[in-house]
Amino acid sequence: MKRKLVAAISAILPLHLALAAPYKPDYDAQVLEHLPAVSGPANRELRALRQQLAANPGRTELALDLAERYIARGKAEADPRYYGYAEGLLKAWPKTPEPPPKVLLLGALIKQHRHDFDGALQDLDTLLRRQPDNAQGWLTRAVILLVQARYPDALQSCAPLIELDDALLAGTCLAEVNSLMGQARKSYDFLQETLADQAEAGAEQRQWTLTVLADIAARLGKPLEAEKHFSEAIRIDYPNVYLFGAYADFLLDQHQPQKVLSLLQDKSRIDALFLRSVQAKQQLGSSNLAQATQELEARFAASRMRGENLHQGDEARFMLHLLNKPEDALRLAQANWQAQREPKDARILLEAAWAAQDAEAAKPVLDLLSASGMEHPQLRQLAAEIRQLR
């Protein structure tokens, strides 16, 4: 039966996926991957909390604290296991018509990670009706709306942060959204001044603000400023996967592949970052590019067989830039656009549409650029080239 099932799957899979079948170990004790070392302050804190909760299973605040730290760890390392641990803790919560605000917030963060944006927004709306001064709730809502390119709605979610006595948090939220609505230069200057006035800001907040500044500078074609902000942000403790990915993308655009490999040298476990490393190898003409490409292809195939579709934008990049399959890339980029509409999602959709010579497929991005007034020379150039196809 199992052989028949494998044969059936192989028959319906595209050829490139069949060739890139997930690796099957030869024996039970074979090591497939070395996970990150379970040491360091963060892991010690998690271990201590687990022990406290095991000794006091009725202490709900301990369970929520542990779930919150699991989610933070999952976000920092792009590791879905931590989201699963957090979800397990929340599932044990008694079902009530009005769950505690923190349960709603953590549930929304888990749904956000799984791209269940509508579900997350529903939880956040319930939370914010009951706690209109919940800063993380407003910020998370703004981030989700930003990902969906609902910029006016995102601005409305940033606005309440102004009243919550955290100028840099509110300023970063407003600047990030406004920078995508034709106000990039003003937003950049405003955010630089706000950061300079907030010398006592916490490390995590400062890192996020620097990342936003770097993103805006890169979009505006100011590479020296972008490099400066990225470098400063990455030196702050516990840089997250988003920051590594954004910095690597910037370096790839600047044709600095060796810097990409140095930046991501111990991050190959994370598929999104491994993709950037492979693209750096491509720019270098590395001798082991074929092997790295095959490994990446197997990872995407395994992800699809698990029923995951969280990385369609990255897979579209892989199909277009490493396998030269524009039609497959366009199909994935279009599917990705249904969930995520950040500038990087717009870029791969335009690149794939141009490569497939399909101007109509680019229309959603062309419409967004027209409606938002977004300042993004790379996207504008791609859009101009695609309009020539019509």
Side-chain angles (χ1 to χ4, degrees):
M1 181 64 188
K2 186 175 179 181
R3 288 183 179 177
K4 288 184 179 179
L5 184 59
V6 171
I9 290 173
S10 300
I12 62 174
L13 279 175
L15 180 59
H16 72 274
L17 293 184
L19 290 173
Y23 178 72
K24 184 178 178 181
D26 296 325
Y27 53 94
D28 291 344
Q30 187 170 350
V31 176
L32 300 180
E33 181 179 5
H34 291 282
L35 295 175
V38 289
S39 60
N43 274 312
R44 284 196 292 273
E45 288 176 3
L46 287 177
R47 190 179 306 116
L49 274 174
R50 283 197 298 267
Q51 291 170 347
Q52 291 177 46
L53 184 61
N56 304 277
R59 289 186 59 185
T60 55
E61 72 277 13
L62 272 178
L64 290 179
D65 192 10
L66 181 57
E68 186 173 26
R69 289 170 189 253
Y70 277 144
I71 290 170
R73 194 66 188 276
K75 179 182 177 183
E77 298 187 4
D79 191 333
R81 292 176 302 164
Y82 290 104
Y83 287 95
Y85 300 153
E87 186 175 32
L89 289 168
L90 295 185
K91 278 186 175 178
W93 208 266
K95 298 294 182 186
T96 63
E98 290 194 355
K102 196 161 186 177
V103 171
L104 285 170
L105 177 62
L106 298 179
L109 292 172
I110 294 171
K111 289 173 182 173
Q112 178 192 17
H113 165 70
R114 292 176 179 163
H115 295 186
D116 177 9
F117 296 135
D118 290 341
L121 289 173
Q122 188 174 354
D123 284 353
L124 291 169
D125 287 346
T126 303
L127 165 67
L128 292 168
R129 279 195 296 271
R130 291 163 54 188
Q131 274 192 346
D133 60 347
N134 191 307
Q136 192 174 357
W138 286 116
L139 182 60
T140 304
R141 191 174 190 277
V143 169
I144 292 172
L145 294 168
L146 193 66
V147 169
Q148 294 181 322
R150 295 167 58 183
Y151 303 141
D153 294 334
L155 270 184
Q156 289 186 357
S157 287
C158 294
L161 297 173
I162 299 171
E163 304 296 328
L164 299 180
D165 201 26
D166 190 332
L168 191 54
L169 178 73
T172 306
C173 188
L174 290 165
E176 185 171 23
V177 180
N178 270 320
S179 75
L180 297 168
M181 301 176 70
Q183 301 290 328
R185 296 181 192 282
K186 289 182 179 177
S187 299
Y188 180 79
D189 293 340
F190 161 76
L191 192 54
Q192 272 203 312
E193 292 173 9
T194 306
L195 180 61
D197 289 340
Q198 302 290 318
E200 303 302 319
E204 186 177 0
Q205 174 61 62
R206 187 174 181 80
Q207 188 177 66
W208 176 43
T209 301
L210 286 165
T211 304
V212 172
L213 280 169
D215 277 339
I216 299 174
R219 271 189 268 126
L220 287 173
K222 302 170 73 168
L224 295 178
E225 290 86 346
E227 171 79 56
K228 173 177 171 288
H229 296 313
F230 274 130
S231 297
E232 191 175 347
I234 210 80
R235 289 197 297 270
I236 296 175
D237 286 345
Y238 308 119
N240 59 39
V241 170
Y242 177 86
L243 173 54
F244 276 110
Y247 192 9
D249 284 343
F250 166 76
L251 292 172
L252 286 170
D253 282 341
Q254 298 302 310
H255 303 286
Q256 298 188 56
Q258 199 59 58
K259 278 192 174 182
V260 174
L261 294 180
S262 298
L263 177 71
L264 306 180
Q265 60 180 332
D266 59 348
K267 306 294 179 189
S268 61
R269 180 185 61 83
I270 300 168
D271 294 349
L273 301 185
F274 186 50
L275 167 65
R276 274 99 180 144
S277 293
V278 178
Q279 287 192 272
K281 290 176 186 287
Q282 184 182 40
Q283 285 191 8
L284 284 168
S286 174
S287 60
N288 64 352
L289 174 62
Q291 181 183 354
T293 301
Q294 190 173 26
E295 179 180 343
L296 190 54
E297 189 172 20
R299 291 193 191 191
F300 283 125
S303 177
R304 284 180 166 211
M305 293 185 75
R306 292 194 299 269
E308 297 175 358
N309 63 354
L310 304 181
H311 310 294
Q312 289 174 312
D314 280 343
E315 189 172 2
R317 284 177 59 163
F318 173 69
M319 286 289 179
L320 182 61
H321 297 300
L322 287 155
L323 296 188
N324 192 27
K325 294 177 178 290
E327 286 76 18
D328 288 337
L330 180 57
R331 174 177 49 77
L332 287 161
Q334 288 177 304
N336 177 64
W337 186 256
Q338 297 307 309
Q340 299 194 103
R341 300 179 179 187
E342 297 181 85
K344 64 183 173 67
D345 305 304
R347 177 174 171 176
I348 185 57
L349 182 49
L350 290 182
E351 289 175 339
W354 186 87
Q357 299 288 284
D358 187 345
E360 187 61 27
K363 187 174 183 305
V365 177
L366 301 183
D367 290 345
L368 175 64
L369 290 174
S370 177
S372 67
M374 186 190 303
E375 298 143 291
H376 198 311
Q378 283 179 315
L379 293 186
R380 295 284 175 187
Q381 179 62 34
L382 280 166
E385 292 173 4
I386 287 173
R387 288 192 182 96
Q388 297 300 316
L389 296 175
R390 294 179 170 175

